[in-house]
Structure formats: structure tokens, C-alpha cells
Amino acid sequence: MSGKFSFRKLSSIKIKIFILLILFSIIPLVVLRYGILVNFVNHEVEMKKIEIMSQSKLLATQISSAGFLDDPTSEIINTQLSQLSNYYGGRVMLVDRSYTIIKDTYQMDEGKVITSKEVVRSFGGEVVSYYDPEYLFIGLTLPINDQETSTPYGVLIVNVSSESIMEDKDYYAAQADLILIIVAIVDFCLAILFSQILVYPMVRLRRMLNERRHGIIDEEIHVSGNYETEALCEEINGVFKNMKTLDESRQEFVSNVSHELKTPITSMKVLADSLLADENTPAELYREFMQDIAEEIDRESQIINDLLSLVKMDKQNPELNIKQVNINELLEVILRRIKPIAEKADVDLILESFRPVTADIDEVKMSLAISNLVENAVKYNKEGGYVKVTLNADHQYFYLNVEDNGMGIPEDSLDHVFERFYRVDKSHSREIGGTGLGLAITKGSIVMHKGAIKVASTLGEGTTFSVRVPLIYIA
Ligand code: ADP
């Protein structure tokens, strides 16, 4: 927010708006000024041509009827020629049929022969007019017709200066320039003002973000004035909210981890202390306590293993060792491993496979995910219950269902079972060796494979976890 100049600032929206405003207001005015002045000159020249032409035509008729070309002594015609010349501050010449100038109001070229193309054209009967912007004059040649034959037998040349038109043009140009300068100054001020006004919400937004970053303010950010900045604020508030939730869940995770890791240690400490307190502890009790301590150590290492698995899944760029794996065989291996536990719990394990499936997966991580689901289905089952694993596929995905008719999950817990350390019944889960991390690990693994997992359950009736994983892994 420093006031120092930097080249980066040249790309600022404020400067762009400022330049655009100036360009869009000044350029049209300059074009307008130029266009109007050019049109003005053209129009004035045309008007003057018409005016001179009508006067000249009249004179040509009079010259003809007075027979002035054959006898250039008529005072009236001489006066009229001089008047025309004086009135327009120009030169009038009269050319006879031998192309000789018989009258020149400037009295410079009398007796000379003139064969300019305009004169030749007028001897052909044409009225010719032209404008010379370099020497600033309007020229006009018109035929003088023989009264009897009606054919040209002389030409009247009228050259008139257009300087007065240019003087008018210069006057208007000066006026226009003055207006242009005034408009440019006003525009400049307005452009500064508008660019400031338009960019102000962004400046405020930046200031608020800066204050928020440095902890000066903690509330939601609201900057009104522009739809865009309002929408941007909403998005930023959304990001802050996500960050806050993330931070809270991280804190909760750390406190949960500490708690979970502390519990077995506390138990071990109690067991060890009670053994140490009594020197004459019977060997049997000693053994029993040591067994409990060994169980707590197992539990501690189970939690640590689960945490390590979870951390691996949580990585931003997970390392997946993708290979083509036969999913039917993978399921058979998993179920074979869990079978003894299921038998011990008197739970039937059923595998139903609709077709042979091979897919691009990380065998270790997928195996961990599926094992967790099947183990849970056995753990949270009832005597004489079943766990049915079904496998199906289409051209895009394979579908895995793990269904049990065990204790089920209460409806209000369904949204939370994938959260880390979440357990429906904490003491029951602990009893059967749960850490509350299994489903979080499973979900992490499935998501890493770009798949999806969902759960459906009815309390007391059973639970079904449905998994969908793409057959081909696209990184
Ligand atoms: P745990 O290590 O406690 O099993 P999980 O993350 O694997 O942790 O599961 C979270 C909780 O979800 C479990 O504590 C249990 O209450 C519930 N749960 C998971 N699977 C089932 C299931 N098949 N039937 C009933 N409840 C289940």
C-alpha cells in the first residue's frame, strides 16, 4: 500500500480506466473537430462556386448579347467585369474564339493566348469549376455562346480567392481547439475522479483483507458498491470459513490423537503402578496384569499404525502404486484372512461376484479399505449374522457392496461415521479393538482412487457400504 512509484502500478485497473475514459472522450472530439472543419471548407467552397457561377452566367449572356467579344468597347460590360472582379477580390478574363485573352481585369495577360484544359473544355460547351487548396482559389470557366448559332465562341474565366473561407476555418479551428482544451481538462479531472470511485471498493477490499491477515479484524468482509466486489467478498468469506473449519478440525484431530494415544498409556501406568506398589503380588496376578499391559501396547501400536495410514492418505500428492489387479482374487484373499475372525464371532461370510473384474488400483491401499469394511461388518454384527460382499462392474466402474445384518448405525450418526475418531458407541468400539480411524482410512483410500463411498443403514437391522471405483485410473 506504499505510495511509491512502481512499474507494477502501471497495470492497475485504475490507470486502465483512467486511460480509457480519456481516450473515449478526447479521440471522438478530435475526430469531430477535424471532420467538421473539412466539411465546413468543402461546403463553403461549393456555396461560393454556385454563387459565382450564377453571376458569371448572367454576365456571359450579357457579353454575348452585347457582342462584346467582337467589339470590347461596351462601357457597361467593362464595368460589370470590373465589378465582378472587385466584389470577389478576384480576376476575370475574357477569351475570344482564337484563344486570345481580350480582357483581363488584372491587365497582365491581355493579348496572350491561353489553351488550358479548362478553357478548351469550355469551348466544347462545358461549365468547369475547380478548387485549388494549395493556392487557395476557386476557378470557373464558362462558355459564351454565339447568339445565332448557340455555340461557344468565347470563354469567361473567373478566378476567385478562397482565403476568406480559410480565415473563417482558422477562426473556427481556434474556437474548437479552445473547447477541446477545456473539455480535455474537465475530462482529465473527471477521469481521475471516476477511476478513483470505480476502484475504491477494491482498495477497501484489499485494506480489509490486509487487516484480516494481520488479525486487526476477525469478522466477515463486506464491501458494497460493485456487484463484482460483493461477489468476491462472498467467495473470500467462503474461503475463510473453510479455512476456519479446517483449522478447527485439525485442532480437534490433534486433541483426539493425544487423547487416544494417552488412554492406553494411562492404563499401562495404572497397571504398572499397582504391580510396583505391592511387592508380594502373586505370580498369577502379575501375569494377568502383564497381559493387560501387552494388550494396551498392541492397542497403542494399532492406533499409531492407523494414524500413519491416515496421514499417507491425507497427503496432497498421494503416492499410489497403481497396477492392474484382479479384484475377484483380491476379495477372495481378504475374505480368507478375515474368515477365522468371522467364524469366531459366528458370522457367515459370503462372496458374490457377478463377473471377473480387473482394475487399475493400488493393491495395498485398496485392500486396506475393503478389509476395514468387511472387518467392521463382522465386528458390529451379531451371533449367527452374515456379511455379504458383492462385486459387479460396468464399462467404467466396479461396484462393491459390503452388506451385513448386524447392529446397524443410528440415522444421526450416518453422516459422521467417516470422520476421524468417530465411533457410535465409544466403549463398545474400544472393547472390540476399534480406533475410530478405520472408515476415515477407507474413505481416504477410495477417494485417492477417484471413487466414491456411501453408507445405508437401519438400526438393529443391518448396514450396507457401497463403493464405486473407476476401472481405469487417470491421474
Ligand atoms: P472403529 O475402529 O471404531 O471400528 P471405524 O471408523 O471403522 O472405527 O468405524 C466408525 C464407527 O462406525 C464404528 O465405531 C461403529 O460405531 C460404526 N460402524 C462402522 N461399520 C459398521 C457396521 N458395519 N455396522 C454398524 N456400525 C458400524
Side-chain angles (χ1 to χ4, degrees):
M1 285 215 140
S2 80
K4 266 198 244 156
F5 176 79
S6 82
F7 279 103
R8 248 182 79 207
K9 281 188 181 172
L10 286 180
S11 68
S12 97
I13 296 180
K14 193 155 78 181
I15 290 188
K16 283 176 189 156
I17 293 175
F18 173 77
I19 291 173
L20 281 181
L21 286 175
I22 290 285
L23 287 184
F24 279 111
S25 54
I26 300 295
I27 289 181
L29 277 182
V30 171
V31 173
L32 204 68
R33 171 200 180 276
Y34 182 77
I36 286 181
L37 287 178
V38 167
N39 269 328
F40 170 78
V41 171
N42 289 343
H43 177 74
E44 287 297 300
V45 166
E46 279 313 307
M47 293 306 288
K48 199 148 195 166
K49 271 187 198 169
I50 292 168
E51 192 185 325
I52 299 166
M53 201 178 293
S54 67
Q55 301 259 5
S56 306
K57 271 184 181 166
L58 211 69
L59 191 57
T61 319
Q62 284 174 343
I63 289 169
S64 167
S65 50
F68 190 77
L69 278 174
D70 296 320
D71 175 17
T73 51
S74 163
E75 267 312 305
I76 304 167
I77 302 293
N78 268 323
T79 314
Q80 283 194 343
L81 284 170
S82 306
Q83 270 179 357
L84 184 68
S85 165
N86 291 341
Y87 185 71
Y88 290 108
R91 183 180 189 183
V92 181
M93 288 183 285
L94 202 58
V95 180
D96 71 3
R97 59 168 68 82
S98 61
Y99 290 81
T100 308
I101 302 169
I102 59 159
K103 191 83 201 161
D104 177 1
T105 53
Y106 279 15
Q107 290 170 346
M108 279 158 60
D109 291 331
E110 275 175 11
K112 285 185 188 164
V113 170
I114 182 164
T115 51
S116 70
K117 64 176 187 301
E118 290 86 8
V119 171
V120 174
R121 277 170 65 193
S122 285
F123 268 112
E126 263 184 73
V127 176
V128 184
S129 68
Y130 46 91
Y131 169 59
D132 187 332
E134 199 180 332
Y135 293 104
L136 297 179
F137 76 89
I138 299 167
L140 206 79
T141 62
L142 35 91
I144 300 166
N145 291 334
D146 187 331
Q147 283 218 306
E148 282 161 30
T149 59
S150 283
T151 51
Y153 76 123
V155 168
L156 182 65
I157 304 172
V158 183
N159 285 342
V160 168
S161 162
S162 67
E163 249 170 68
S164 64
I165 296 176
M166 294 324 270
E167 276 164 16
D168 283 352
K169 184 203 132 182
D170 289 345
Y171 169 76
Y172 289 125
Q175 294 284 313
D177 286 343
L178 187 68
I179 294 172
L180 207 68
I181 290 170
I182 295 170
V183 170
I185 293 170
V186 173
D187 264 0
F188 187 83
C189 300
L190 286 179
I192 290 181
L193 186 73
F194 278 122
S195 57
Q196 292 275 15
I197 290 174
L198 287 173
V199 174
Y200 182 64
M202 286 209 230
V203 176
R204 270 196 62 205
L205 178 61
R206 187 183 167 189
R207 200 176 302 145
M208 288 185 98
L209 282 175
N210 190 276
E211 285 175 2
R212 177 102 203 222
R213 183 155 69 97
H214 292 102
I216 301 168
I217 53 167
D218 194 28
E219 70 261 33
E220 287 201 337
I221 287 174
H222 290 289
V223 177
S224 52
N226 280 341
Y227 167 75
E228 284 81 1
T229 29
E230 279 171 27
L232 200 63
C233 283
E234 270 173 39
E235 293 300 327
I236 290 170
N237 286 332
V239 171
F240 278 140
K241 211 169 163 182
N242 282 354
M243 278 164 57
K244 206 171 165 193
T245 317
L246 208 71
D247 196 44
E248 279 168 6
S249 89
R250 191 168 296 144
Q251 276 178 16
E252 195 187 310
F253 180 63
V254 171
S255 91
N256 281 339
V257 167
S258 323
H259 177 76
E260 294 297 328
L261 289 177
K262 233 182 128 187
T263 316
I265 288 177
T266 313
S267 307
M268 283 189 267
K269 172 83 174 138
V270 171
L271 289 164
D273 278 351
S274 53
L275 284 181
L276 287 173
D278 188 358
E279 276 175 22
N280 306 317
T281 312
E284 255 170 57
L285 198 65
Y286 205 90
R287 209 180 153 68
E288 195 187 316
F289 275 25
M290 282 313 275
Q291 206 162 349
D292 289 347
I293 289 177
E295 271 171 24
E296 291 301 333
I297 290 171
D298 282 347
R299 189 171 161 66
E300 185 87 24
S301 73
Q302 175 68 41
I303 296 172
I304 290 169
N305 280 342
D306 279 1
L307 276 172
L308 287 175
S309 305
L310 201 66
V311 167
K312 275 191 209 154
M313 310 276 179
D314 259 6
K315 272 196 188 163
Q316 279 284 314
N317 296 311
E319 290 145 23
L320 278 177
N321 182 15
I322 298 287
K323 280 199 193 107
Q324 265 230 333
V325 175
N326 183 319
I327 307 295
N328 307 66
E329 278 174 18
L330 181 77
L331 287 180
E332 276 167 29
V333 172
I334 293 171
L335 292 203
R336 207 175 303 135
R337 191 177 54 76
I338 299 175
K339 205 166 178 75
I341 311 168
E343 275 170 2
K344 205 169 154 196
D346 192 17
V347 171
D348 221 5
L349 264 187
I350 309 155
L351 174 61
E352 198 172 278
S353 170
F354 288 94
R355 62 191 77 235
V357 180
T358 49
D360 292 345
I361 54 160
D362 179 319
E363 193 169 353
V364 175
K365 294 195 172 73
M366 184 55 74
S367 190
L368 188 64
I370 300 171
S371 301
N372 280 343
L373 292 180
V374 182
E375 276 170 20
N376 276 354
V378 173
K379 275 195 302 188
Y380 302 103
N381 216 309
K382 59 188 178 200
E383 246 175 70
Y386 70 84
V387 174
K388 190 164 136 193
V389 180
T390 46
L391 174 68
N392 205 346
D394 57 21
H395 62 288
Q396 226 183 337
Y397 300 100
F398 74 82
Y399 304 90
L400 184 81
N401 276 7
V402 179
E403 177 194 334
D404 67 64
N405 63 341
M407 58 177 61
I409 302 168
E411 211 182 320
D412 55 347
S413 296
L414 281 176
D415 283 342
H416 303 287
V417 284
F418 295 108
E419 287 169 14
R420 294 173 289 200
F421 295 113
Y422 184 84
R423 282 163 285 193
V424 176
D425 180 345
K426 231 174 166 87
S427 59
H428 178 72
S429 168
R430 262 183 67 84
E431 238 169 66
I432 51 182
T435 60
L437 294 172
L439 285 180
I441 293 170
T442 298
K443 185 162 183 182
S445 165
I446 302 293
V447 170
M448 273 169 97
H449 285 85
K450 306 203 188 304
I453 181 165
K454 59 182 185 190
V455 57
S457 184
T458 310
L459 196 61
E461 284 182 23
T463 307
T464 304
F465 282 91
S466 311
V467 175
R468 190 193 72 185
V469 178
L471 295 174
I472 296 166
Y473 178 81
I474 300 163

